Amino acid sequence: MATDASPKFQQAELIPLPPQPDYSPGVAAVEHDGLRFWQFMIAGSVAGMVEHMAMFPVDTIKTQMQALGSCPIRSASIGQAVQSILKADGARGLYRGIGAMALGAGPAHAAYFSVYEICKKSFSGGDPDNHAAHAAAGVCATVASDAVLTPMDMVKQRLQLGSSPYKGVLDCVARVMRQDGFGAFYASYRTTVLMNAPFTALHFAAYEAAKRGLTEVSHSPESLSDETLVVHATAGAAAGAIAAALTTPLDVVKTQLQCQGVCGCDRFASGSIGDVFRTIIKKDGYRGLMRGWMPRMLFHAPAAAICWSTYEAAKSFFQDSNNGNNINNVT
């Protein structure tokens, strides 16, 4: 009988439903982590631009140190590289080639982070402790990213050289195409992938592990949101420094391949990684393979901190925006 119904069915409280993704026509479905695919791309693009623009002078010093080992002017220290740059071009020499990086960093990092997030979701099955999945996703991300960035990275490094013969990005692109053909833009692609695959695997695995560990150390729920930026920056810096130091020899080979034949740098007939390794060891010994390791670490530690904190901040912005839109759609 209706009057004998249990009290729990009389005056039932309305329980609000969680926000649901908007699947209305013309609206892309949420892919992962509360974000749509294009939002991952924008977040990654912004993060890459901020990272490379902020750290560009350090990257110029590293390039000078690695390339000058085979050029007439030799540089074995950070101080000598800085003096060489300032003497040749003044302070603006630290920013030669920044236009090429501005053109390449945005699209490359858009591909980098969007591919990483998609592969991480697919490989890990939602397990945050699956470091092998994070590493594999990182490798997939760097293969896609390097295909986009390598041509502009080659232009950037040639412009960074002291007494570079090129007037700017367009002049460099036109002269390389005319003198060496399209293949010159991808001369270092194999080396770059071989360098960045272990770099990125180590970087992403270390970052996810460090981020999770640092987050769990946070004891105060009230301060968790305030510590998020510090967690991302610290985890990113640690991961970037470790990965950068271990992959420096391949970075030296990449720089030599991209700068060959410019400013007196050696030109390699075969273009093979082994040939470059043998040439470096013959001229500078094994220490030549670690040329520029200090500025490389000084670049990647803060660069990774900047990149990850910017990326996570952009993701949070889009997540809040999506949640707000979903709530409005429900009401």
Side-chain angles (χ1 to χ4, degrees), residues 75-150:
S75 176
S77 70
I78 295 176
Q80 289 174 328
V82 173
Q83 289 177 5
S84 174
I85 295 168
L86 295 178
K87 183 178 180 180
D89 298 305
R92 69 177 184 176
L94 293 169
Y95 291 91
R96 281 181 59 88
I98 195 170
M101 184 50 63
L103 290 172
H109 279 73
Y112 187 77
F113 282 106
S114 57
V115 170
Y116 172 69
E117 294 286 358
I118 292 170
C119 292
K120 182 176 76 169
K121 177 186 177 182
S122 176
F123 297 162
S124 69
D127 180 8
D129 292 323
N130 192 339
H131 303 309
H134 297 153
V139 172
C140 293
T142 198
V143 171
S145 173
D146 289 341
V148 178
L149 185 60
T150 296

Side-chain angles (χ1 to χ4, degrees), residues 32 44 90 134 181 287 320 328:
H32 167 59
H134 297 153
R287 68 177 183 177
D320 292 342
N328 291 335

Side-chain angles (χ1 to χ4, degrees), residues 25-273:
V27 178
V30 171
E31 296 284 348
H32 167 59
D33 239 6
L35 270 69
R36 299 175 177 88
F37 181 77
W38 66 267
Q39 292 173 327
F40 283 123
M41 295 187 73
I42 292 179
S45 180
V46 171
M49 292 284 288
V50 172
E51 168 199 352
H52 284 284
M53 297 304 102
M55 300 304 301
F56 196 83
V58 181
D59 183 62
T60 299
I61 294 169
K62 182 216 71 166
T63 298
Q64 289 269 356
M65 291 180 68
Q66 291 179 339
L68 289 176
S70 59
C71 289
I73 306 172
R74 301 181 66 84
S75 176
S77 70
I78 295 176
Q80 289 174 328
V82 173
Q83 289 177 5
S84 174
I85 295 168
L86 295 178
K87 183 178 180 180
D89 298 305
R92 69 177 184 176
L94 293 169
Y95 291 91
R96 281 181 59 88
I98 195 170
M101 184 50 63
L103 290 172
H109 279 73
Y112 187 77
F113 282 106
S114 57
V115 170
Y116 172 69
E117 294 286 358
I118 292 170
C119 292
K120 182 176 76 169
K121 177 186 177 182
S122 176
F123 297 162
S124 69
D127 180 8
D129 292 323
N130 192 339
H131 303 309
H134 297 153
V139 172
C140 293
T142 198
V143 171
S145 173
D146 289 341
V148 178
L149 185 60
T150 296
M152 283 296 103
D153 188 53
M154 185 274 286
V155 173
K156 181 262 300 182
Q157 288 202 314
R158 291 194 176 205
L159 290 171
Q160 284 176 319
L161 294 177
S163 303
S164 175
Y166 306 108
K167 298 176 182 179
V169 175
L170 294 178
D171 179 53
C172 182
V173 171
R175 291 174 63 176
V176 170
M177 279 289 292
R178 185 169 59 251
Q179 295 170 3
D180 301 313
F182 181 77
F185 292 101
Y186 283 93
S188 69
Y189 180 66
R190 287 179 301 172
T191 308
T192 302
V193 171
L194 286 175
M195 173 187 70
N196 284 341
F199 174 90
T200 309
L202 181 58
H203 187 160
F204 275 111
Y207 171 75
E208 296 286 355
K211 182 178 71 172
R212 185 169 176 79
L214 289 169
T215 301
E216 290 175 352
V217 168
S218 303
H219 299 294
S220 173
E222 295 81 8
S223 65
L224 185 59
S225 60
D226 295 333
E227 293 177 351
T228 299
L229 181 62
V230 176
V231 167
H232 293 313
T234 304
I242 293 169
L246 294 177
T247 56
T248 294
L250 283 168
D251 189 50
V252 174
V253 173
K254 184 202 77 169
T255 300
Q256 295 276 347
L257 283 170
Q258 292 190 155
C259 297
Q260 59 181 313
V262 182
C263 298
C265 294
D266 292 336
R267 182 176 289 277
F268 304 96
S270 67
S272 70
I273 297 172

